[in-house]
Amino acid sequence: MNILKSFENFIFEVVGWLYFYPRTMWLALFRPGEMMAYADDELDDLPAAQYESTISPPLFLLITIVLATWASDSISGPDDPATTPALLLNWKNSLLLTASVYSVYPLVLAIALLRQQKREIDRRALRPPFYSQCFVAAPFALANALAISMLVLENRNATIGGATVFFAALIWYFVLQTRWFSGQLGVSTLRACWIAGAAIGAGFIITGAILVAIFN
């Protein structure tokens, strides 16, 4: 009976994603500031009562990465075995790498906030800003995956489309982070721009180093 009950809860949760995932994505795209504040507030509730009307931020990011990987493969085709490291030919390893790469951004931005607040960086302090960042990292990851898949097609129209998607997502992400740092730290927009730019730049450097280490 316990096994059946667990299976029942699992089926209900997975089917519920059909409604809660699109809803969470819509809110993350068009009400990102509210969603970041919501992610922080929900952590004060009991675990069973958290994120009842959305998907939890880390799970939302993971599902988005799975969908982004599938969409990318649909556009650009499967990886070429001749140019892809043997480790990444296994879809599980490829998914794990993609998830790790895009999880760097929420981590770096959350750490940047705590450092600016001069707070000790531990798991308890890191969780709220990390969860907040996961909500907005998901659309950013999806847009990046689509942009990269179009850029590798080596087609003029696809290249223009991929570059447009990438820069639009980057501007959206940068503006959002500037507002977030400004609100959280109570600093000027110019100061928040500098902090956001430095944190996002650090994210690019770290993820770039990971990719270079794997593909070389």
Side-chain angles (χ1 to χ4, degrees):
M1 290 301 297
N2 288 335
I3 293 174
L4 291 175
K5 189 66 177 178
S6 298
F7 184 70
E8 175 186 331
N9 292 334
F10 173 75
I11 291 296
F12 174 75
E13 185 66 26
V14 171
V15 172
W17 292 350
L18 296 175
Y19 170 77
F20 290 114
Y21 178 81
R23 182 177 190 275
T24 306
M25 178 60 76
W26 176 268
L27 293 172
L29 279 171
F30 297 103
R31 296 183 181 177
E34 294 179 19
M35 289 299 284
M36 295 176 83
Y38 164 77
D40 196 342
D41 294 340
E42 285 294 294
L43 289 175
D44 294 332
D45 296 341
L46 294 174
Q50 292 176 359
Y51 308 107
E52 291 187 323
S53 59
T54 62
I55 296 177
S56 70
L59 181 58
F60 174 58
L61 177 58
L62 179 60
I63 295 173
T64 302
I65 289 170
V66 172
L67 295 177
T69 303
W70 172 80
S72 179
D73 289 343
S74 299
I75 294 172
S76 60
D79 295 330
D80 184 358
T83 58
T84 303
L87 179 67
L88 299 181
L89 292 177
N90 183 305
W91 70 269
K92 295 179 182 178
N93 294 337
S94 179
L95 179 61
L96 179 61
L97 172 64
T98 307
S100 300
V101 166
Y102 285 112
S103 296
V104 165
Y105 294 97
L107 179 64
V108 170
L109 287 156
I111 290 175
L113 177 68
L114 295 180
R115 287 174 63 89
Q116 291 294 323
Q117 293 175 332
K118 302 187 185 305
R119 296 173 58 189
E120 182 179 355
I121 300 175
D122 54 28
R123 286 182 174 83
R124 183 174 182 179
L126 190 61
R127 188 180 299 273
F130 178 79
Y131 272 48
S132 296
Q133 286 292 333
C134 281
F135 267 138
V136 295
F140 182 64
L142 179 59
N144 271 269
L146 295 176
I148 292 171
S149 65
M150 287 188 283
L151 289 171
V152 300
L153 292 177
E154 298 182 354
N155 175 282
R156 183 174 181 275
N157 292 333
T159 300
I160 293 173
T164 301
V165 171
F166 174 78
F167 285 110
L170 183 60
I171 291 170
W172 175 82
Y173 197 58
F174 176 73
V175 171
L176 178 61
Q177 298 303 336
T178 298
R179 292 177 177 175
W180 186 66
F181 279 113
S182 179
Q184 292 290 320
L185 300 174
V187 297
S188 66
T189 301
L190 184 61
R191 174 65 177 167
C193 280
W194 170 256
I195 298 170
I200 294 173
F204 274 112
I205 292 171
I206 294 171
T207 55
I210 293 172
L211 295 176
V212 167
I214 291 175
F215 281 90
N216 285 342

